[in-house]
Amino acid sequence: MKVSRYIGNPIIEPKDIRPYLKDYEVIGVFNAGVMRYGDEILLLLRVAERPVHRDPNVGLSPYYDVANGRMGINQLEKGVPGYDFSDARGIATPEGSLLTSLSYLRIARSKDGVHFEIDDRPALFPENQYEIYGIEDCRITQINDTYFINYSAVSNLGITTCLASTKDFAYIQREGVIFQPDSKNIVIFPQKINGKYYALHRPSSSSFGKPSMWLAESPDLLCWGNHRFLMGCRPGLWDEARIGGSCVPIKLEQGWLEIYHGADRNNRYCLGAVLLDSEQPWRVIARSTQPFLEPETDYEKEGFFGNVVFSCGALYEDGKVKIYYGAADTSMCYAEVEMSEILEQLEQV
């Protein structure tokens, strides 16, 4: 399959973002929600900042102090038994995991889709008990004149999915928690199907399964139920270890086309697709046996967490799927692929 990466990739890098927090540095800008708004393309970027390290013997974990309405930092001495600092993304402690950075959402705007101006201030920043460790990986679904933003909220209570809404991206209203811990990768369909809203989600794995994709339905976008298994991991293939929804489903004559991510046993993340029935979205019609986008370039293979391509948003225009994706949990990139190429690559289930 011919996927055209933008020659100027990455389109946004950490060096392009001025830190919002004092004495912090931006280490990642990735996994953005995407929407065309008026004559602009908007990216709702996940920006990750961490405190500037001055003592190599101390690990730092930032958090939002809800009681005092300000940032705080946990300082943990390295070498203490029971504490694991081997993963740059987090610190394992006897009491649970801590993150080494804090993420929030920030808007970037573009006329041509590849050159962006980035707002100085966050669009959504942690402010409650569910968000103390950050806000991550949003998706944007337009329904009529309202844009619904769902995102992962991280705290010591777990990872919940929250919903927010806006009509103009100037004022964003929080709607509350819509999925219980630890469900991630929520993707809301852009229209009702037979009178109901639908969403893909990925519940946390248990001792009896691997992270798989499920489908839920709702009368109002707030209360979700009738959860059903949709599809799981496939041994020996590119999505053998975990899968999850990536982009808002695209309505085609053939059905709903969902771009999803998968990882193998080596934590190599790729993008593939699945075709769902138009009227019964719990029915899988066809699925990728090979990914159409996988880590190949240096900026996709090397970074904060390498060998990762991960998307939270794409546009379908003029027969092309325009994919905005995070590379190596570090930067934002852009690629295009003909929808016909994706469909031809799918194999019936």
Side-chain angles (χ1 to χ4, degrees):
M1 184 184 302
K2 184 179 180 181
V3 177
S4 299
R5 289 172 170 83
Y6 176 57
I7 194 171
N9 274 347
I11 57 173
I12 305 176
E13 300 179 79
K15 65 181 178 60
D16 301 322
I17 309 282
R18 180 181 301 173
Y20 173 66
L21 298 168
K22 185 179 180 181
D23 293 327
Y24 278 62
E25 59 183 346
V26 175
I27 60 168
V29 51
F30 54 109
N31 298 2
V34 182
M35 181 55 59
R36 183 174 287 280
Y37 180 70
D39 63 349
E40 292 183 318
I41 292 175
L42 301 187
L43 300 183
L44 202 44
L45 304 166
R46 174 182 171 183
V47 177
E49 296 190 16
R50 71 181 177 193
V52 175
H53 283 64
R54 294 187 172 88
D55 186 347
N57 298 312
V58 175
L60 303 179
S61 174
Y63 66 95
Y64 181 74
D65 184 343
V66 178
N68 296 302
R70 64 189 182 195
M71 291 296 299
I73 299 177
N74 290 307
Q75 301 189 46
L76 304 171
E77 186 176 349
K78 294 182 179 180
V80 175
Y83 289 79
D84 184 357
F85 297 85
S86 60
D87 189 333
R89 298 171 297 175
I91 303 169
T93 79
E95 294 77 31
S97 297
L98 300 173
L99 298 180
T100 55
S101 64
L102 182 134
S103 293
Y104 59 86
L105 304 182
R106 202 151 155 179
I107 293 176
R109 310 167 192 271
S110 175
K111 298 288 188 181
D112 64 4
V114 291
H115 300 94
F116 285 86
E117 294 185 1
I118 302 160
D119 287 3
D120 290 330
R121 300 180 61 84
L124 279 176
F125 192 82
E127 69 171 33
N128 59 50
Q129 63 177 332
Y130 305 110
E131 303 170 354
I132 62 173
Y133 295 153
I135 294 172
E136 304 177 355
D137 296 358
C138 78
R139 279 80 169 176
I140 308 171
T141 301
Q142 181 182 1
I143 300 176
N144 299 321
D145 65 345
T146 303
Y147 301 88
F148 291 94
I149 303 163
N150 62 269
Y151 59 90
S152 294
V154 188
S155 74
N156 55 351
L157 301 174
I159 301 174
T160 60
T161 294
C162 298
L163 187 69
S165 64
T166 183
K167 292 183 182 293
D168 57 9
F169 291 95
Y171 171 72
I172 299 176
Q173 176 176 311
R174 281 173 166 84
E175 305 289 354
V177 176
I178 59 171
F179 277 84
Q180 76 282 359
D182 276 336
S183 197
K184 299 180 67 177
N185 302 315
I186 279 70
V187 181
I188 298 172
F189 285 66
Q191 66 184 60
K192 285 185 175 180
I193 304 172
N194 297 321
K196 299 176 181 177
Y197 295 106
Y198 284 88
L200 303 172
H201 67 108
R202 207 275 304 281
S204 63
S205 60
S206 68
S207 57
F208 291 100
K210 292 183 178 181
S212 304
M213 289 172 62
W214 288 58
L215 188 76
E217 62 186 48
S218 171
D220 58 5
L221 297 174
L222 299 176
C223 300
W224 294 89
N226 195 21
H227 302 274
R228 7 182 159 190
F229 174 83
L230 182 67
M231 63 186 204
C233 302
R234 298 175 293 185
L237 294 183
W238 62 278
D239 51 5
E240 64 182 350
R242 68 180 62 83
I243 58 172
S246 281
C247 305
V248 174
I250 299 168
K251 182 67 178 294
L252 303 172
E253 290 182 4
Q254 299 90 332
W256 291 100
L257 191 284
E258 166 63 17
I259 295 172
Y260 75 96
H261 61 269
D264 63 17
R265 67 188 67 186
N266 297 314
N267 285 323
R268 183 174 185 263
Y269 280 78
C270 304
L271 295 178
V274 61
L275 186 66
L276 307 176
D277 187 86
S278 296
E279 300 299 316
Q280 298 178 320
W282 53 88
R283 288 187 58 241
V284 176
I285 298 172
R287 185 175 173 184
S288 299
T289 55
Q290 298 293 330
F292 66 82
L293 186 64
E294 52 190 311
E296 294 177 349
T297 66
D298 288 344
Y299 54 79
E300 295 163 348
K301 293 191 293 185
E302 299 174 7
F304 189 70
F305 191 69
N307 280 326
V308 171
V309 294
F310 190 103
S311 181
C312 291
L315 301 175
Y316 177 44
E317 299 174 342
D318 303 321
K320 294 181 179 180
V321 182
K322 302 176 178 180
I323 304 166
Y324 292 86
Y325 65 97
D329 278 7
T330 302
S331 58
M332 281 300 304
C333 297
Y334 176 73
E336 294 182 353
V337 60
E338 296 285 342
M339 177 63 80
S340 59
E341 295 246 3
I342 293 179
L343 293 173
E344 288 174 5
Q345 183 247 14
L346 299 181
E347 294 192 11
Q348 289 197 343
V349 175

